[in-house]
Amino acid sequence: MISAHLSLPDTFDKLLTDSGHEALLLHAPNGAIHFASPSAKDVLSSDSLQGKNLIELIHEDDAAVVIDGFRDAVIRGVPFLPHTVRIGSRHIVVMTMPVKDRTGGVIELQTTLRDVTEFVVLRDQIQVQEAVSVATSVLAKVGGWRLDVASNELYWSDEVRRIHEVPEDFVPSVETAIGFYSKQHRHIIEKAVTDAIESAVAVDIESPLITYTGKHIWVRASVTPEVVDGVVVRIYGAFQDITELHQREEQLRSTVAELTRQRDQLEEYTYVISHHLRGPVGNIVSLLNLLSEDDDGKQAPDTVRHLRDSARALLDTLEDLTHAIAVRQEEVPNVVDLRITDVIDSAASSLSEMITASGTKISVNVSEVPTLSYPQEYLETIFRQLFSNAIRFAAPGRPPRVRIKSMEIEGVVAIEFSDNGLGIDLDKYGDKIFRIRTSFHRGTTGRGVGLFLIKTIVESMGGTISVNSVIDKGTTFRIMFALSSSKASV
Amino acid sequence: MERPLIVALVDDDRVYQFTTERMLLRLNDEVNFRWFKDGEEALGYLQDHAHETEALPDLLILDINMPFMDGWQFLDAYAAKKSTLAKHIDIFMISSSADERDQVRAHSYSDVTGYLEKPITSDLLRGLLDRYIGGNATKH
C-alpha cells in the first residue's frame, strides 16, 4: 500500500549495520549464561551477565516462545530463527544457533542479540502515520496520482481507484483516465496534461466525472510537473471527490436565489400595499369627507361614481394579491405531460371573444418540443395572460399577431411568445414590468397583474421569465421552464 | 390678492385628482388648479409656457409612482429645464409609499420643498395654502 512509496529514513540503514548494538552470548539450554561478549552489557543494560539466566531477563510474555525455541535447538539441533523480544525497556532481536560437539550432540547454545528498539519505535510511528494518512484520505476522499512521462505509466493511489470505482485488476492509462471525464471537459484535462508535460504548467481543475459504474460525480484534480534538469520527467497531483461539496454549493446557491426571490416578493407586496391598497382607501376616505361636506349636493353624483371606482379598484387589487399569494402558498398542482398545442387551444378558447373581435392571428410552432411536464392550470394561465396582454397592448391599426415557439436551450424547455404590439420601453421600465399593477402604456387600463402572476407561477416552479421588446414593433417573452442548474446537478 | 395661486398636481390617479381639486376649491375658490396625469405631460406644459409667469404653477404636488415618467424622472428632467422657466416653482413630493427610502430620497433633491404622505387631507391642504396666500385666505 502506501508504505511502498515512502522512502525510509537514513537511520534505518545505520541501525541495521551498527555493530555496537549487537551482542553474543553462549549459554546452557535453560538459559544460564556461560559467556557474554563485551557489547552484551550495553545491549542488555546489565553489568555482570556471568551466571545470570537469559530467559529470566526476557519479558514474561515473550519468554515462552524463546524457551520453546531453545528446546527445539537442543533436541532437534535446528536454529531458533530471529525473533523480537522485550528485555527491560528495549526491543531485542534474538537468534539462537546450537553449538554441537564432534558427535553432533548439542552442548550449548549461541545467541546473537541485536537492539532494534529505535527501529521498532520508528516502525510503529510509520504504521500510525500510514493509518492516519489512509484514514484521512478516505475521509477527505482525496488520493494521489502520478504519470511517468518516459514510460507513460499512470499510477493511481487506492483512494483514486475508489473514487473512480474501478475493479481491482483495472490498470489505468492516460487515455482511459481522461475517458472518465464528461465529454465537454475532456479537452480541458487533455490540455492540462499537455501543458504540464510540455510547458511545466501547474493547474487545478474541477470537473464532472462519470465513474466506472456510471455514477455522476464532481472531482478536483491538481496537476504538478516535476522537473529534472529542465525536463518534465513526471507529473503528479492530488485527486479529490468534491461531489458533496459541489452539491452543497449548489444548494447554497439555490437557497440564496430562493431567499432573494422571497425578499423581492416581499418588497413587491409592500409596494402593492402602500400604492394600490393605501391609495384607493385614502381616496375613499377623502370622497366620503367630500360627500358629507357637500352642502348643496351638486357634486354628489361624481363623488359617488368615484367612490364606486375606488372600491372596485381596491377589490381588484385584493383579488390579484390573493391570486398571487395562492400560487405561492398552495400546493403545486399535479405535474402532467401536456401537449403544448392543447393548452394553447384551451387558453385561446377561453378568450375567443377577445381574439375574434381584435382579429388576432396566432401561429404556433412546437415541432422542436411538442410536450411539457407542467401543471395544466399553470400553463393555461400563463398563455391566457400572455394572449390577453398581446391583444390589450396591440398597436393601433395593426391586428395583433402572436407567434409561439417551443425549443430546448441547454437542456431546458423554453417557450417564446412574441407579439407585434406597442412594445415596452425596457430602458425605462426594465424589471418593473413584472411588478404587480404596473402600467406602462399611456391611456390603457392595464390591471398589470398578468405579468406578475406569470412570473410568480414560473418562479414557483423553478423557472425564469425574460423579456425583449422594441417599441412599436412588439414584445417577446421567453419562459425557461426550469433553472439550468437544477437540471445539471446530479 | 393680485392673481390666483396656481396649484399643479402631477398624478395618474383620477380619483385623487378629483378629491384634491374639490378640497382645494372648497378651501379657496380662487385657486387655479391644473392636473397632469404623468411627469411627461407636466414637463411639456412647463416647457410650452416657460416664459408665462401667469401660466406657470406656484406649487407643484408631484406623485412618485406614475407610469411613463415617474416623479424621480420628472425631477431629473426638471433640474435640467428649470433655468429656462420664468418662475420659481415649489415642488412637494407626495406618495402613499410606506417606504422611508422614498422620503429620504425626496429630500436629497434640492428642488424638492417638502414631502407629503397620501392620503391628502383638507388640513394638509389648508396648511399649504396658508403658507402661500397668507393667514385667513382659506374658508374655515
Side-chain angles (χ1 to χ4, degrees):
Chain A
M1 290 225 323
I2 287 177
S3 57
H5 316 294
L6 292 172
S7 60
L8 298 176
D10 293 345
T11 40
F12 259 79
D13 296 339
K14 201 164 154 274
L15 269 171
L16 294 172
T17 53
D18 192 349
S19 60
H21 289 269
E22 208 171 85
L24 187 83
L25 296 179
L26 289 173
H27 55 87
N30 70 355
I33 295 167
H34 301 152
F35 168 81
S37 69
S39 58
K41 62 179 191 299
D42 294 332
V43 175
L44 296 173
S45 331
S46 179
D47 274 346
S48 58
L49 288 163
Q50 214 80 40
K52 284 199 175 161
N53 190 312
L54 176 59
I55 300 291
E56 284 165 12
L57 296 173
I58 293 172
H59 190 282
E60 55 181 327
D61 291 348
D62 300 338
V65 181
V66 179
I67 293 167
D68 284 354
F70 287 179
R71 200 179 49 226
D72 278 359
V74 173
I75 297 169
R76 294 164 50 208
V78 293
F80 173 51
L81 292 174
H83 189 82
T84 309
V85 298
R86 282 162 289 174
I87 299 179
S89 61
R90 315 294 294 172
H91 294 264
I92 310 288
V93 173
V94 182
M95 190 176 83
T96 302
M97 301 289 288
V99 179
K100 298 170 185 175
D101 63 11
R102 271 193 276 163
T103 62
V106 177
I107 49 170
E108 64 181 352
L109 298 175
Q110 173 198 315
T111 293
T112 322
L113 304 160
R114 178 182 287 180
D115 187 336
V116 292
T117 309
E118 285 169 58
F119 176 84
V120 169
V121 168
L122 211 56
R123 188 196 61 196
D124 288 351
Q125 276 176 1
I126 287 169
Q127 272 171 356
V128 169
Q129 275 171 8
E130 194 181 304
V132 167
S133 108
V134 168
T136 313
S137 72
V138 169
L139 263 183
K141 294 186 179 161
V142 62
W145 63 274
R146 191 179 58 220
L147 175 70
D148 193 87
V149 174
S151 67
N152 207 31
E153 219 169 273
L154 179 64
Y155 160 77
W156 279 359
S157 79
D158 288 353
E159 193 51 35
V160 175
R161 300 180 67 92
R162 241 193 305 279
I163 293 170
H164 281 85
E165 299 189 309
V166 291
E168 266 181 38
D169 56 355
F170 183 85
V171 181
S173 69
V174 178
E175 290 71 33
T176 54
I178 290 173
F180 281 105
Y181 290 90
S182 71
K183 256 184 201 153
Q184 308 98 288
H185 289 77
R186 268 176 220 163
H187 69 278
I188 301 172
I189 312 291
E190 276 163 4
K191 187 176 181 305
V193 170
T194 313
D195 285 357
I197 294 174
E198 288 173 5
S199 326
V201 178
V203 72
D204 236 333
I205 299 163
E206 283 184 19
S207 165
L209 180 144
I210 300 156
T211 67
Y212 191 85
T213 66
K215 222 162 81 188
H216 289 244
I217 63 170
W218 273 80
V219 296
R220 176 187 296 149
S222 69
V223 182
T224 312
E226 187 182 332
V227 183
V228 175
D229 298 331
V231 179
V232 177
V233 293
R234 205 183 282 168
I235 60 173
Y236 65 92
F239 187 87
Q240 189 179 14
D241 180 350
I242 54 164
T243 312
E244 279 175 39
L245 199 72
H246 199 82
Q247 282 169 346
R248 239 171 279 156
E249 271 173 20
E250 275 298 319
Q251 272 169 8
L252 199 65
R253 241 196 301 276
S254 77
T255 307
V256 168
E258 176 57 26
L259 286 177
T260 310
R261 202 153 53 223
Q262 284 183 5
R263 191 203 56 201
D264 290 350
Q265 208 102 52
L266 196 65
E267 266 184 16
E268 189 63 47
Y269 292 140
T270 313
Y271 176 88
V272 172
I273 287 164
S274 59
H275 291 277
H276 298 296
L277 295 183
R278 282 186 72 184
V281 171
N283 282 342
I284 288 171
V285 173
S286 302
L287 288 163
L288 287 172
N289 282 339
L290 282 179
L291 207 57
S292 66
E293 290 165 13
D294 189 0
D295 311 321
D296 51 10
K298 259 197 272 176
Q299 305 293 343
D302 280 347
T303 311
V304 171
R305 184 169 51 84
H306 285 309
L307 260 178
R308 199 183 296 127
D309 289 349
S310 294
R312 188 165 299 143
L314 191 61
L315 194 65
D316 285 350
T317 305
L318 282 173
E319 269 175 12
D320 294 348
L321 258 185
T322 316
H323 211 128
I325 289 170
V327 170
R328 289 192 58 76
Q329 294 193 333
E330 269 170 20
E331 270 184 43
V332 175
N334 277 343
V335 171
V336 286
D337 286 331
L338 300 168
R339 278 165 47 89
I340 295 172
T341 46
D342 290 350
V343 184
I344 293 173
D345 286 348
S346 87
S349 74
S350 71
L351 295 171
S352 59
E353 250 174 71
M354 206 177 170
I355 289 172
T356 315
S358 59
T360 303
K361 286 206 180 83
I362 302 167
S363 61
V364 178
N365 177 2
V366 291
S367 54
E368 200 177 316
V369 184
T371 60
L372 175 70
S373 297
Y374 214 68
Q376 158 118 29
E377 190 188 320
Y378 280 4
L379 192 61
E380 206 178 307
T381 305
I382 291 171
F383 280 125
R384 201 167 43 237
Q385 295 290 348
L386 289 173
F387 275 131
S388 147
N389 275 347
I391 295 167
R392 278 189 302 144
F393 305 120
R398 199 160 67 212
R401 251 194 94 86
V402 168
R403 285 195 182 79
I404 303 170
K405 190 176 179 346
S406 67
M407 61 198 79
E408 200 177 303
I409 300 167
E410 286 162 12
V412 176
V413 175
I415 289 179
E416 276 189 0
F417 190 105
S418 312
D419 65 42
N420 62 339
L422 289 167
I424 304 162
D425 187 347
L426 292 175
D427 288 341
K428 200 176 259 180
Y429 297 106
D431 268 357
K432 275 192 199 162
I433 67 155
F434 292 110
R435 296 195 113 168
I436 201 164
R437 286 189 158 262
T438 302
S439 53
F440 30 84
H441 294 292
R442 228 175 190 171
T444 54
T445 50
R447 276 177 63 186
V449 71
L451 291 178
F452 177 70
L453 188 60
I454 295 173
K455 189 174 156 80
T456 305
I457 289 175
V458 169
E459 288 183 351
S460 77
M461 296 296 293
T464 54
I465 181 167
S466 56
V467 61
N468 210 331
S469 190
V470 180
I471 289 180
D472 207 36
K473 286 271 185 277
T475 306
T476 297
F477 291 97
R478 177 190 277 180
I479 299 169
M480 304 280 282
F481 282 91
L483 289 173
S484 47
S485 63
S486 69
K487 191 105 176 182
S489 67
V490 209
Chain B
M1 193 175 159
E2 300 125 35
R3 57 170 187 83
L5 184 79
I6 306 174
V7 178
L9 178 71
V10 190
D11 199 311
D12 59 319
D13 185 340
R14 282 195 73 89
V15 180
Y16 173 68
Q17 170 260 322
F18 173 85
T19 55
T20 309
E21 184 173 8
R22 287 285 167 283
M23 280 193 272
L24 268 178
L25 293 178
R26 195 188 295 277
L27 290 168
N28 184 321
D29 52 17
E30 285 182 3
V31 167
N32 188 338
F33 181 80
R34 292 198 171 276
W35 176 53
F36 305 101
K37 61 181 178 297
D38 61 57
E40 196 164 278
E41 204 180 85
L43 203 69
Y45 177 86
L46 297 187
Q47 265 174 305
D48 291 348
H49 302 274
H51 309 298
E52 304 163 40
T53 348
E54 68 282 6
L56 290 174
D58 297 284
L59 71 138
L60 187 142
I61 301 172
L62 178 65
D63 188 32
I64 292 177
N65 293 95
M66 286 177 290
F68 226 68
M69 180 187 266
D70 69 16
W72 310 119
Q73 288 166 328
F74 174 86
L75 284 176
D76 292 335
Y78 174 80
K81 292 272 153 55
K82 65 174 176 184
S83 62
T84 67
L85 302 180
K87 192 191 226 171
H88 171 80
I89 301 171
D90 277 357
I91 296 175
F92 289 85
M93 290 296 267
I94 188 158
S95 176
S96 56
S97 168
D99 197 336
E100 246 179 59
R101 280 174 294 187
D102 280 349
Q103 198 166 334
V104 172
R105 186 169 168 196
H107 287 298
S108 74
Y109 283 84
S110 59
D111 291 325
V112 173
T113 307
Y115 183 91
L116 311 173
E117 234 179 79
K118 279 188 185 177
I120 206 161
T121 60
S122 265
D123 288 343
L124 204 140
L125 284 177
R126 183 179 293 121
L128 265 186
L129 287 188
D130 287 351
R131 187 166 160 179
Y132 286 87
I133 304 174
N136 302 322
T138 52
K139 303 174 190 168
H140 285 266

